[in-house]
Amino acid sequence: MELGIAGKRALVCASSKGLGRGCARALAAEGVHLVLNARGRDALEQTAAEIRDAYGVEVITVAADITTEDGRAQVLAAAGDVDILVTNAGGPPPGMWSDWTRDDFVAALDANMLTPIALMQALMPGMIARGWGRVVNITSGSVKAPIPVLGLSNSARAGLTGFVAGTARQVAGKGVIINNLLPGIHDTDRAAALDGGVSKAEGISMDEARKKREATIPAGRYGTADEFGAACAFLCSQHAGFMVGQNLLLDGGAINATL
Ligand code: NAP
Protein backbone atom coordinates (compact mmCIF):
# COMPACT_ATOMS: atom_id res chain seq x y z
CA MET A 1 0.00 0.00 0.00
CA GLU A 2 1.31 3.46 -0.92
CA LEU A 3 1.21 5.50 2.31
CA GLY A 4 1.56 8.88 0.57
CA ILE A 5 4.05 10.39 3.00
CA ALA A 6 7.30 10.38 1.01
CA GLY A 7 9.19 13.64 1.57
CA LYS A 8 7.47 14.44 4.88
CA ARG A 9 9.61 15.13 7.97
CA ALA A 10 9.21 13.19 11.24
CA LEU A 11 10.54 13.53 14.77
CA VAL A 12 10.78 10.10 16.38
CA CYS A 13 11.71 10.33 20.05
CA ALA A 14 13.65 7.67 21.96
CA SER A 15 14.48 5.90 18.72
CA SER A 16 18.01 4.46 18.83
CA LYS A 17 16.62 1.05 19.82
CA GLY A 18 13.45 -0.94 20.29
CA LEU A 19 10.00 0.27 19.29
CA GLY A 20 11.11 3.83 18.49
CA ARG A 21 13.72 2.49 16.08
CA GLY A 22 11.08 0.22 14.52
CA CYS A 23 8.89 3.28 13.88
CA ALA A 24 11.83 5.26 12.48
CA ARG A 25 12.79 2.45 10.08
CA ALA A 26 9.22 2.00 8.85
CA LEU A 27 8.81 5.74 8.20
CA ALA A 28 12.19 5.90 6.44
CA ALA A 29 11.11 2.99 4.23
CA GLU A 30 8.24 5.25 3.09
CA GLY A 31 10.67 8.05 2.18
CA VAL A 32 10.14 10.15 5.34
CA HIS A 33 13.11 12.30 6.49
CA LEU A 34 13.88 11.85 10.17
CA VAL A 35 15.00 13.55 13.36
CA LEU A 36 16.05 10.82 15.77
CA ASN A 37 16.68 11.14 19.49
CA ALA A 38 18.07 9.10 22.39
CA ARG A 39 20.34 9.84 25.33
CA GLY A 40 23.23 7.58 24.33
CA ARG A 41 25.11 8.88 21.28
CA ASP A 42 26.72 5.65 20.02
CA ALA A 43 23.58 3.59 19.43
CA LEU A 44 21.83 6.69 18.06
CA GLU A 45 24.53 7.35 15.45
CA GLN A 46 24.62 3.66 14.54
CA THR A 47 20.86 3.55 13.97
CA ALA A 48 20.98 6.80 11.97
CA ALA A 49 23.76 5.46 9.75
CA GLU A 50 21.90 2.17 9.15
CA ILE A 51 18.74 4.06 8.16
CA ARG A 52 20.58 6.48 5.83
CA ASP A 53 22.30 3.54 4.13
CA ALA A 54 19.15 1.45 3.81
CA TYR A 55 16.65 4.11 2.73
CA GLY A 56 18.59 7.18 1.52
CA VAL A 57 16.55 9.64 3.62
CA GLU A 58 17.96 12.58 5.62
CA VAL A 59 18.51 11.72 9.27
CA ILE A 60 19.36 14.31 11.94
CA THR A 61 20.35 13.04 15.40
CA VAL A 62 19.98 14.75 18.77
CA ALA A 63 21.54 13.00 21.77
CA ALA A 64 19.49 14.34 24.69
CA ASP A 65 17.11 13.28 27.45
CA ILE A 66 13.66 13.95 25.99
CA THR A 67 12.10 13.98 29.48
CA THR A 68 13.97 17.16 30.49
CA GLU A 69 13.17 20.71 29.44
CA ASP A 70 16.70 21.22 28.22
CA GLY A 71 16.66 17.96 26.23
CA ARG A 72 13.33 18.82 24.62
CA ALA A 73 14.59 22.31 23.72
CA GLN A 74 17.61 20.79 21.93
CA VAL A 75 15.43 18.29 20.07
CA LEU A 76 12.83 20.88 19.06
CA ALA A 77 15.50 23.34 17.88
CA ALA A 78 17.04 20.68 15.64
CA ALA A 79 13.69 19.39 14.43
CA GLY A 80 12.17 22.69 13.30
CA ASP A 81 8.91 22.15 11.44
CA VAL A 82 7.93 18.49 11.32
CA ASP A 83 4.85 16.88 9.79
CA ILE A 84 4.93 13.75 11.94
CA LEU A 85 5.64 13.36 15.66
CA VAL A 86 6.18 10.00 17.32
CA THR A 87 6.48 10.41 21.10
CA ASN A 88 8.33 7.82 23.15
CA ALA A 89 10.61 7.52 26.19
CA GLY A 90 11.79 4.79 28.48
CA GLY A 91 9.13 3.25 30.71
CA PRO A 92 9.10 3.60 34.51
CA PRO A 93 10.62 0.82 36.63
CA PRO A 94 8.48 -1.96 38.13
CA GLY A 95 7.80 -1.95 41.86
CA MET A 96 5.26 -2.12 44.65
CA TRP A 97 2.39 0.36 45.10
CA SER A 98 3.32 0.95 48.74
CA ASP A 99 6.94 1.93 47.98
CA TRP A 100 6.54 4.68 45.36
CA THR A 101 7.22 8.19 46.59
CA ARG A 102 5.92 11.49 45.26
CA ASP A 103 9.24 11.93 43.43
CA ASP A 104 8.77 8.53 41.71
CA PHE A 105 5.34 9.61 40.49
CA VAL A 106 6.60 13.01 39.33
CA ALA A 107 9.39 11.33 37.34
CA ALA A 108 6.93 8.91 35.72
CA LEU A 109 4.47 11.70 34.91
CA ASP A 110 7.28 13.81 33.44
CA ALA A 111 8.54 11.00 31.22
CA ASN A 112 5.35 9.34 30.06
CA MET A 113 2.66 12.04 30.28
CA LEU A 114 4.01 15.60 30.43
CA THR A 115 6.82 15.09 27.89
CA PRO A 116 4.55 13.89 25.06
CA ILE A 117 2.07 16.64 25.92
CA ALA A 118 4.83 19.30 25.79
CA LEU A 119 6.01 17.97 22.42
CA MET A 120 2.46 18.07 21.02
CA GLN A 121 2.01 21.62 22.33
CA ALA A 122 5.27 22.67 20.67
CA LEU A 123 4.75 21.02 17.28
CA MET A 124 1.02 20.88 16.60
CA PRO A 125 0.56 24.65 16.03
CA GLY A 126 2.89 24.38 13.01
CA MET A 127 1.04 21.30 11.75
CA ILE A 128 -2.27 23.15 12.10
CA ALA A 129 -0.88 26.17 10.26
CA ARG A 130 0.23 23.91 7.39
CA GLY A 131 -3.07 21.98 7.47
CA TRP A 132 -1.57 18.50 7.91
CA GLY A 133 0.02 16.53 10.73
CA ARG A 134 0.21 13.13 12.35
CA VAL A 135 1.01 12.32 15.99
CA VAL A 136 1.52 8.81 17.32
CA ASN A 137 2.15 8.33 21.02
CA ILE A 138 3.77 5.07 22.09
CA THR A 139 1.96 4.20 25.31
CA SER A 140 1.31 0.67 26.61
CA GLY A 141 -1.21 -2.13 26.81
CA SER A 142 -1.34 -1.17 30.49
CA VAL A 143 -3.77 1.58 29.43
CA LYS A 144 -6.35 -1.11 28.62
CA ALA A 145 -5.50 -3.65 31.31
CA PRO A 146 -3.36 -2.70 34.30
CA ILE A 147 -0.02 -4.39 34.93
CA PRO A 148 0.13 -4.31 38.75
CA VAL A 149 3.94 -4.09 39.08
CA LEU A 150 3.98 -1.21 36.60
CA GLY A 151 1.73 1.10 38.61
CA LEU A 152 3.81 4.15 37.72
CA SER A 153 3.30 3.37 34.03
CA ASN A 154 -0.41 2.58 34.50
CA SER A 155 -0.89 5.98 36.13
CA ALA A 156 1.15 8.21 33.83
CA ARG A 157 -0.08 6.64 30.60
CA ALA A 158 -3.71 6.88 31.69
CA GLY A 159 -3.17 10.63 32.09
CA LEU A 160 -1.71 10.95 28.58
CA THR A 161 -4.56 8.88 27.16
CA GLY A 162 -7.10 11.24 28.70
CA PHE A 163 -5.33 14.28 27.24
CA VAL A 164 -5.21 12.72 23.78
CA ALA A 165 -8.87 11.69 23.87
CA GLY A 166 -10.01 15.30 24.11
CA THR A 167 -7.25 17.02 22.17
CA ALA A 168 -7.43 14.68 19.16
CA ARG A 169 -11.00 15.86 18.62
CA GLN A 170 -9.99 19.52 18.85
CA VAL A 171 -7.33 19.31 16.14
CA ALA A 172 -8.75 16.70 13.72
CA GLY A 173 -10.66 19.35 11.77
CA LYS A 174 -7.38 21.18 11.15
CA GLY A 175 -5.83 18.12 9.46
CA VAL A 176 -3.88 16.95 12.52
CA ILE A 177 -4.53 13.35 13.53
CA ILE A 178 -3.46 12.02 16.93
CA ASN A 179 -3.60 8.33 17.89
CA ASN A 180 -1.91 6.13 20.46
CA LEU A 181 -0.15 2.82 19.83
CA LEU A 182 -0.31 0.41 22.76
CA PRO A 183 2.45 -2.21 22.80
CA GLY A 184 2.00 -5.52 24.51
CA ILE A 185 5.18 -7.52 24.99
CA HIS A 186 7.68 -6.87 22.20
CA ASP A 187 11.14 -8.28 21.73
CA THR A 188 13.25 -5.29 22.85
CA ASP A 189 15.73 -4.45 25.63
CA ARG A 190 12.77 -3.32 27.75
CA ALA A 191 11.14 -6.76 27.43
CA ALA A 192 14.43 -8.43 28.35
CA ALA A 193 14.68 -6.21 31.45
CA LEU A 194 11.15 -7.24 32.48
CA ASP A 195 12.03 -10.92 31.82
CA GLY A 196 14.96 -10.33 34.17
CA GLY A 197 12.59 -9.08 36.86
CA VAL A 198 10.44 -12.24 36.55
CA SER A 199 13.56 -14.44 36.52
CA LYS A 200 14.86 -12.81 39.72
CA ALA A 201 11.51 -12.73 41.55
CA GLU A 202 10.69 -16.37 40.78
CA GLY A 203 14.20 -17.85 40.84
CA ILE A 204 13.93 -19.15 37.26
CA SER A 205 16.23 -18.74 34.26
CA MET A 206 15.81 -15.93 31.72
CA ASP A 207 14.75 -18.51 29.14
CA GLU A 208 12.10 -19.91 31.47
CA ALA A 209 10.91 -16.39 32.30
CA ARG A 210 10.51 -15.59 28.60
CA LYS A 211 8.68 -18.88 27.89
CA LYS A 212 6.38 -18.16 30.82
CA ARG A 213 5.53 -14.71 29.46
CA GLU A 214 5.17 -16.03 25.89
CA ALA A 215 2.62 -18.55 27.17
CA THR A 216 0.37 -15.63 28.19
CA ILE A 217 0.18 -14.41 24.56
CA PRO A 218 -2.30 -16.17 22.22
CA ALA A 219 0.06 -15.51 19.29
CA GLY A 220 2.61 -17.58 21.26
CA ARG A 221 5.50 -15.13 20.86
CA TYR A 222 6.71 -11.60 21.51
CA GLY A 223 5.95 -8.93 18.91
CA THR A 224 8.70 -7.43 16.78
CA ALA A 225 9.79 -3.82 16.40
CA ASP A 226 9.24 -4.13 12.64
CA GLU A 227 5.59 -5.12 13.11
CA PHE A 228 5.15 -2.24 15.53
CA GLY A 229 6.82 0.19 13.12
CA ALA A 230 4.54 -0.87 10.26
CA ALA A 231 1.46 -0.03 12.35
CA CYS A 232 3.01 3.32 13.27
CA ALA A 233 3.71 4.16 9.62
CA PHE A 234 0.08 3.41 8.75
CA LEU A 235 -1.13 5.76 11.52
CA CYS A 236 1.18 8.43 10.05
CA SER A 237 -0.11 7.85 6.52
CA GLN A 238 -2.61 9.68 4.33
CA HIS A 239 -5.04 6.79 4.94
CA ALA A 240 -5.34 7.43 8.69
CA GLY A 241 -7.12 10.78 8.34
CA PHE A 242 -10.46 9.49 9.66
CA MET A 243 -8.95 7.58 12.61
CA VAL A 244 -9.09 10.06 15.45
CA GLY A 245 -7.98 9.63 19.07
CA GLN A 246 -7.87 5.84 18.92
CA ASN A 247 -5.87 3.46 21.12
CA LEU A 248 -4.52 0.69 18.90
CA LEU A 249 -3.42 -2.37 20.85
CA LEU A 250 -0.62 -4.56 19.44
CA ASP A 251 -0.33 -7.44 21.90
CA GLY A 252 -0.76 -10.75 20.06
CA GLY A 253 -4.16 -11.11 21.74
CA ALA A 254 -2.78 -11.02 25.29
CA ILE A 255 -5.49 -8.79 26.71
CA ASN A 256 -8.62 -10.95 26.79
CA ALA A 257 -11.33 -8.47 25.85
CA THR A 258 -14.04 -8.30 23.21
CA LEU A 259 -13.51 -4.59 22.50
P1 NAP B 1 13.96 -0.05 24.73
O1 NAP B 1 14.18 -1.20 23.80
O2 NAP B 1 14.58 -0.07 26.07
O3 NAP B 1 14.40 1.27 23.93
C1 NAP B 1 14.20 2.52 24.52
C2 NAP B 1 14.76 3.59 23.58
O4 NAP B 1 14.43 4.84 24.14
C3 NAP B 1 16.27 3.57 23.44
O5 NAP B 1 16.62 4.05 22.16
C4 NAP B 1 16.71 4.55 24.53
O6 NAP B 1 17.99 5.08 24.27
C5 NAP B 1 15.60 5.60 24.39
N1 NAP B 1 15.34 6.37 25.60
C6 NAP B 1 15.00 5.88 26.83
N2 NAP B 1 14.81 6.90 27.68
C7 NAP B 1 15.03 8.04 26.98
C8 NAP B 1 15.00 9.41 27.32
N3 NAP B 1 14.71 9.81 28.57
N4 NAP B 1 15.27 10.33 26.37
C9 NAP B 1 15.56 9.95 25.10
N5 NAP B 1 15.61 8.66 24.72
C10 NAP B 1 15.35 7.72 25.65
O7 NAP B 1 12.39 0.17 25.01
P2 NAP B 1 11.13 -0.29 24.12
O8 NAP B 1 10.81 -1.69 24.42
O9 NAP B 1 11.33 0.15 22.72
O10 NAP B 1 9.96 0.57 24.82
C11 NAP B 1 9.57 1.85 24.35
C12 NAP B 1 8.39 2.31 25.20
O11 NAP B 1 7.32 1.36 25.06
C13 NAP B 1 8.70 2.38 26.70
O12 NAP B 1 8.06 3.48 27.27
C14 NAP B 1 8.12 1.09 27.23
O13 NAP B 1 7.75 1.18 28.59
C15 NAP B 1 6.90 0.92 26.33
N6 NAP B 1 6.46 -0.46 26.28
C16 NAP B 1 7.28 -1.43 25.80
C17 NAP B 1 6.84 -2.76 25.80
C18 NAP B 1 7.73 -3.86 25.29
O14 NAP B 1 7.37 -5.04 25.45
N7 NAP B 1 8.85 -3.61 24.67
C19 NAP B 1 5.57 -3.07 26.27
C20 NAP B 1 4.74 -2.05 26.74
C21 NAP B 1 5.21 -0.75 26.75
P3 NAP B 1 18.92 5.68 25.47
O15 NAP B 1 18.82 4.69 26.60
O16 NAP B 1 20.27 5.79 24.87
O17 NAP B 1 18.31 7.00 25.80
Side-chain angles (χ1 to χ4, degrees):
M1 184 192 285
E2 171 60 55
L3 297 190
I5 49 176
K8 302 269 188 205
R9 296 186 72 245
L11 166 59
V12 186
C13 302
S15 52
S16 66
K17 298 179 188 170
L19 303 179
R21 180 172 60 184
C23 296
R25 287 173 53 87
L27 289 169
E30 296 300 321
V32 174
H33 303 298
L34 298 173
V35 181
L36 301 186
N37 151 258
R39 292 163 303 178
R41 190 173 292 282
D42 290 352
L44 182 62
E45 294 304 339
Q46 191 181 329
T47 292
E50 284 168 11
I51 289 177
R52 284 186 202 104
D53 286 353
Y55 304 110
V57 296
E58 290 165 23
V59 184
I60 295 170
T61 57
V62 189
D65 185 339
I66 197 68
T67 68
T68 65
E69 266 190 55
D70 179 54
R72 279 193 297 280
Q74 289 179 51
V75 170
L76 289 168
D81 289 336
V82 294
D83 310 294
I84 294 168
L85 165 65
V86 179
T87 75
N88 186 28
M96 185 67 188
W97 65 270
S98 48
D99 295 337
W100 292 314
T101 64
R102 185 174 194 284
D103 286 349
D104 294 326
F105 278 101
V106 170
L109 292 173
D110 255 340
N112 300 114
M113 177 186 171
L114 300 177
T115 289
I117 289 174
L119 291 165
M120 283 185 263
Q121 287 175 323
L123 292 171
M124 289 198 314
M127 295 177 189
I128 289 168
R130 294 185 297 279
W132 196 94
R134 296 286 184 266
V135 179
V136 174
N137 299 293
I138 299 179
T139 66
S140 171
S142 69
V143 167
K144 294 241 184 206
I147 303 169
V149 294
L150 291 178
L152 294 171
S153 171
N154 300 337
S155 306
R157 298 191 199 275
L160 174 62
T161 305
F163 174 83
V164 166
T167 307
R169 288 161 171 90
Q170 290 177 305
V171 300
K174 316 276 184 198
V176 178
I177 300 298
I178 317 176
N179 288 291
N180 300 324
L181 261 185
L182 284 51
I185 303 176
H186 283 71
D187 203 354
T188 67
D189 290 357
R190 167 80 170 170
L194 295 174
D195 288 348
V198 172
S199 155
K200 202 170 154 196
E202 302 188 15
I204 56 178
S205 70
M206 283 288 283
D207 197 41
E208 287 168 324
R210 179 171 175 138
K211 286 203 165 68
K212 193 169 179 186
R213 295 216 297 154
E214 279 176 343
T216 66
I217 305 171
R221 62 173 177 86
Y222 289 2
T224 70
D226 283 350
E227 290 170 316
F228 192 87
C232 177
F234 175 79
L235 291 181
C236 296
S237 76
Q238 299 293 355
H239 309 297
F242 203 55
M243 198 170 167
V244 173
Q246 298 301 299
N247 291 282
L248 184 63
L249 179 65
L250 296 178
D251 74 342
I255 292 176
N256 189 32
T258 304
L259 288 176

